[in-house]
Amino acid sequence: YGINGIFFDEVSTSTSDLPYYTQLRDHVKANGGIVVLNPGTVPDEKYMQVGDFVCVFEGSHTDFLSFSPPSWLPNYAPQTYHIVYDVSNSSLSQTLSRSLSLHGGMVYVTDLNLPNPYDNLPSYWRVEVQSSFTSYEFLPKKSYRFSLGMRLL
């Protein structure tokens, strides 16, 4: 299968590293790819000009409930995403709704936890897949991109 982009994990949030990530972006773009950045937290706003998609939250459900993004972040809603782990089946709806209320463009939710919440698919994966092809009855009636395994465009 063809590769259409690069996912950069553990991205710095420091402005001093912006030239490095800009250079990486330019190389990926020159080859027709998309750039996905994962600092796991809100980076300096200038990073939003570097990545096509930027992870502004990566953490537990408990931490996500208290996540308070900066006031400028909604300006970049379509390109932001949240990764939330340790989400019980009973908290799935709440987590998806919270992501929507925080203007997340995409979200990946799993019930797995540290040390590796990416080791397997969530136990409710079939529900997520089915919901992505039907309707989001558990969400407010508003446009929302639901990311299955970080499906990008």
Side-chain angles (χ1 to χ4, degrees):
Y1 64 95
I3 297 173
N4 65 356
I6 302 289
F7 179 96
F8 294 101
D9 203 9
E10 304 292 327
V11 171
S12 172
T13 59
S14 170
T15 56
S16 65
D17 293 323
L18 271 167
Y20 171 71
Y21 289 106
T22 300
Q23 185 178 19
L24 291 174
R25 183 231 19 229
D26 292 347
H27 179 76
V28 172
K29 291 296 195 178
N31 289 283
I34 60 171
V35 176
V36 181
L37 303 177
N38 182 13
T41 188
V42 179
D44 184 277
E45 186 175 5
K46 293 178 182 133
Y47 276 87
M48 304 311 285
Q49 306 305 316
V50 176
D52 294 304
F53 301 97
V54 180
C55 179
V56 296
F57 179 88
E58 180 179 19
S60 71
H61 177 256
T62 301
D63 291 342
F64 191 56
L65 294 178
S66 61
F67 172 60
S68 181
S71 61
W72 55 262
L73 197 57
N75 298 330
Y76 303 96
Q79 77 186 89
T80 64
Y81 67 95
H82 307 128
I83 298 174
V84 190
Y85 54 78
D86 196 23
V87 178
S88 67
N89 188 40
S90 63
S91 297
L92 178 60
S93 174
Q94 174 193 30
T95 305
L96 294 172
S97 293
R98 176 142 175 81
S99 179
L100 180 62
S101 73
L102 294 173
H103 307 284
M106 292 177 284
V107 61
Y108 177 75
V109 178
T110 182
D111 55 348
L112 300 177
N113 202 351
L114 295 175
N116 187 359
Y118 313 104
D119 195 31
N120 215 327
L121 293 174
S123 65
Y124 40 69
W125 180 250
R126 288 180 191 255
V127 172
E128 289 181 304
V129 171
Q130 184 178 21
S131 295
S132 72
F133 292 110
T134 58
S135 66
Y136 306 109
E137 295 174 6
F138 48 83
L139 293 175
K141 300 299 180 204
K142 185 175 177 182
S143 176
Y144 191 68
R145 281 199 296 195
F146 183 66
S147 178
L148 299 175
M150 293 314 299
R151 176 183 56 97
L152 300 175
L153 298 177

